[in-house]
Amino acid sequence: MVSTRRNSGIILREGSVRDWSQFNDPSPSPKLLYSQSYVAMRGLLASVASLDFFLLLSKLKSVCAAMTSQRHTRSQERSRLRGMSCRRAALHLLVCFLVGIFIGFMPFFSVDVYKKIVSENKRLPFHDGVIEAEMMGTKVKELETVVVEKEVELIDEPEVAESPPVPAMLDDEADFAESSPALPGIKESDIAVKKLLIIVTITSVRPQQAYYLNRLAHVLKAVQAPLLWLVVEWPEQSYETAELLRSSGVMYRHLICRKNTTSVRKIAVCQRNNAIYHVKKHHLDGIMHFADEERSYSADVYEEMQKIRRFGSWPVAIHVGTKYRAVMEGPVCKGNRVTGWHTVQTSQKKSSTRRFPIGFSGFAFNSTLLWDPQRWNRPPMDSVIVHSGGRGGLQESRFIEKLVKNERQIEGLPDNCNRVMVWNFNLEPPQLNYPTGWAIYKNLEADMPVL
């Protein structure tokens, strides 16, 4: 079309003016055709655009519908998965609960596997030791209960004016030996249990303290355990005593008495009562003895104390006067029965007569008498202490009267009371000066220097 335009323009310029009427053509002009085609194309494009818009809207709608449907399906799947997980957790909890109930009720079932194994194999390699240990424990418990019952019965029974002498044992021991049958397969030495020995010693700082305590410590160290040494010092714990007790090799407890007095008798009463309060407070169960540090002891007396059940006594050799004469003080026995007393005081007034003429170093007793009176069928007594009133042995006698009623409750040691195991010699010299802690820091020059 463009080329025809150019050609027609050139022809018109070369020729003369012509009548354009002859060229009237019934066909439309090119501009008209172009405009018509443009309009048609524009309409077509508009229609295409409108179609594309509608298609796009439809596609968007389909996409949105697909997305919403996918979300819905995913939410449904998630809810299904959550439901399945909750069911699994509930199932697990139920199974664990049932297993716990089953395990909890297992001990109530009477299933004795050990008996079945023993019945099948008849005897295991360790079966003998287990059976013997069980039999030993049960028989020892039965024997202890029988002993305690017999002791209580004998304490409560009325006194008999004349009773036949027993050569080697008390009445309660004889009754027990007759009533209790012999245990088969068990020796008497196998069931003998060592009792705790509670040894109380009162002391104070002075020149002879180290000698006395060291001597007593060596004797206690040779005694078979168990043994507890209660050392009560006045007026405070000294360095010398503490060091001596640490190096003694004996189990000990270091107590003090802070009584503000200068009376030796009152100080000794305070020290012994502090030891009694300590035993009551801690309920120490054993054989208690007041061992004065000035006394000389044989190790045999502590072995004899193991035989005491309630209260025991033995003879003591005492030095009297200035002529180096020794006399006996203590029980006179026939077997283990106390039939009389050796006493130093031959002529006494009735007001000062001692019911039990023995000193603190001549007896020992069961410590449960102090804090467990029901065991011995006695009324509770809080005043089982040493009183400061009374001289000439009245302190000891009044203290013993709170523990026993008469000689029938006293055991004589050793057999027939024919051996002295404690000596009371007054070897205390007058007051001497000594270095503190027995440590020498001055006057160290040699009198005879070595050349």
Side-chain angles (χ1 to χ4, degrees), residues 7-20 22-23:
N7 293 331
S8 63
I10 294 171
I11 294 171
L12 288 173
R13 289 172 184 173
E14 291 178 357
S16 59
V17 178
R18 295 182 180 179
D19 190 7
W20 289 95
Q22 62 180 348
F23 291 99

Side-chain angles (χ1 to χ4, degrees), residues 204 209 248:
S204 59
Q209 182 192 26
S248 64

Side-chain angles (χ1 to χ4, degrees), residues 114 120 257 271 286 407:
Y114 176 74
E120 292 177 1
C257 168
Q271 290 174 308
E407 282 79 5

Side-chain angles (χ1 to χ4, degrees), residues 321-369:
T322 57
K323 296 182 180 180
Y324 301 100
R325 185 171 62 92
V327 297
M328 293 281 292
E329 184 180 68
V332 178
C333 305
K334 196 170 186 179
N336 291 101
R337 179 182 293 280
V338 177
T339 59
W341 298 96
H342 293 292
T343 178
V344 178
Q345 299 176 354
T346 56
S347 61
Q348 296 177 344
K349 296 180 180 180
K350 292 183 179 180
S351 60
S352 61
T353 302
R354 294 186 294 172
R355 174 67 180 83
F356 299 101
I358 50 177
F360 282 111
S361 59
F363 67 88
F365 58 94
N366 198 313
S367 63
T368 56
L369 288 167

Side-chain angles (χ1 to χ4, degrees), residues 116-407:
K116 290 183 178 180
I117 295 175
V118 172
S119 61
E120 292 177 1
N121 299 331
K122 292 186 179 180
R123 192 172 293 276
L124 295 174
F126 56 85
H127 186 71
D128 296 335
V130 174
I131 297 299
E132 290 179 0
E134 291 179 354
M135 291 176 62
M136 181 73 69
T138 55
K139 291 176 180 178
V140 167
K141 290 180 180 178
E142 293 176 358
L143 187 59
E144 289 179 352
T145 54
V146 172
V147 169
V148 173
E149 291 176 357
K150 288 292 180 182
E151 289 176 353
V152 173
E153 291 176 359
L154 288 167
I155 290 169
D156 295 336
E157 67 183 7
E159 297 184 9
V160 182
E162 295 181 357
S163 58
V166 182
M169 61 179 67
L170 296 175
D171 286 345
D172 52 359
E173 289 181 342
D175 294 341
F176 172 70
E178 293 175 0
S179 61
S180 59
L183 300 176
I186 298 179
K187 299 180 181 179
E188 186 178 357
S189 59
D190 295 335
I191 61 176
V193 180
K194 289 287 184 180
K195 298 178 183 178
L196 173 66
L197 296 180
I198 306 170
I199 310 301
V200 179
T201 301
I202 60 175
T203 185
S204 59
V205 177
R206 62 191 190 283
Q208 293 78 23
Q209 182 192 26
Y211 165 70
Y212 288 141
L213 288 181
N214 272 302
R215 183 179 64 178
L216 184 56
H218 282 291
V219 176
L220 296 179
K221 193 174 181 180
V223 179
Q224 189 175 1
L227 185 143
L228 176 62
W229 192 14
L230 296 181
V231 179
V232 188
E233 190 173 10
W234 176 86
E236 59 185 7
Q237 291 184 356
S238 63
Y239 174 78
E240 296 91 335
T241 308
E243 287 297 320
L244 191 149
L245 294 176
R246 290 192 191 99
S247 59
S248 64
V250 181
M251 184 173 63
Y252 71 94
R253 293 183 185 179
H254 195 178
L255 310 178
I256 58 174
C257 168
R258 291 193 176 97
K259 190 174 183 63
N260 187 13
T261 182
T262 56
S263 174
V264 177
R265 182 168 53 86
K266 292 182 179 180
I267 292 172
V269 169
C270 172
Q271 290 174 308
R272 291 190 177 98
N273 285 335
N274 280 6
I276 291 173
Y277 291 145
H278 186 81
V279 172
K280 287 182 179 180
K281 179 180 178 181
H282 298 281
H283 288 184
L284 299 181
D285 188 358
I287 305 301
M288 188 172 179
H289 171 62
F290 295 101
D292 294 334
E293 58 182 352
E294 298 91 353
R295 310 293 185 261
S296 298
Y297 291 89
S298 172
D300 297 336
V301 69
Y302 298 103
E303 296 296 332
E304 294 290 336
M305 288 182 192
Q306 295 284 348
K307 303 175 183 178
I308 297 174
R309 292 194 308 275
R310 181 184 180 121
F311 190 97
S313 180
W314 51 85
V316 179
I318 301 177
H319 171 256
V320 293
T322 57
K323 296 182 180 180
Y324 301 100
R325 185 171 62 92
V327 297
M328 293 281 292
E329 184 180 68
V332 178
C333 305
K334 196 170 186 179
N336 291 101
R337 179 182 293 280
V338 177
T339 59
W341 298 96
H342 293 292
T343 178
V344 178
Q345 299 176 354
T346 56
S347 61
Q348 296 177 344
K349 296 180 180 180
K350 292 183 179 180
S351 60
S352 61
T353 302
R354 294 186 294 172
R355 174 67 180 83
F356 299 101
I358 50 177
F360 282 111
S361 59
F363 67 88
F365 58 94
N366 198 313
S367 63
T368 56
L369 288 167
L370 301 175
W371 54 268
D372 191 9
Q374 294 181 355
R375 178 177 177 181
W376 305 98
N377 197 15
R378 294 174 57 248
M381 297 178 63
D382 297 332
S383 61
V384 183
I385 58 175
V386 180
H387 292 280
S388 59
R391 297 177 182 272
L394 288 177
Q395 276 187 3
E396 298 89 328
S397 180
R398 291 172 181 173
F399 180 76
I400 295 170
E401 289 175 11
K402 298 177 182 179
L403 301 178
V404 295
K405 296 179 181 179
N406 47 44
E407 282 79 5

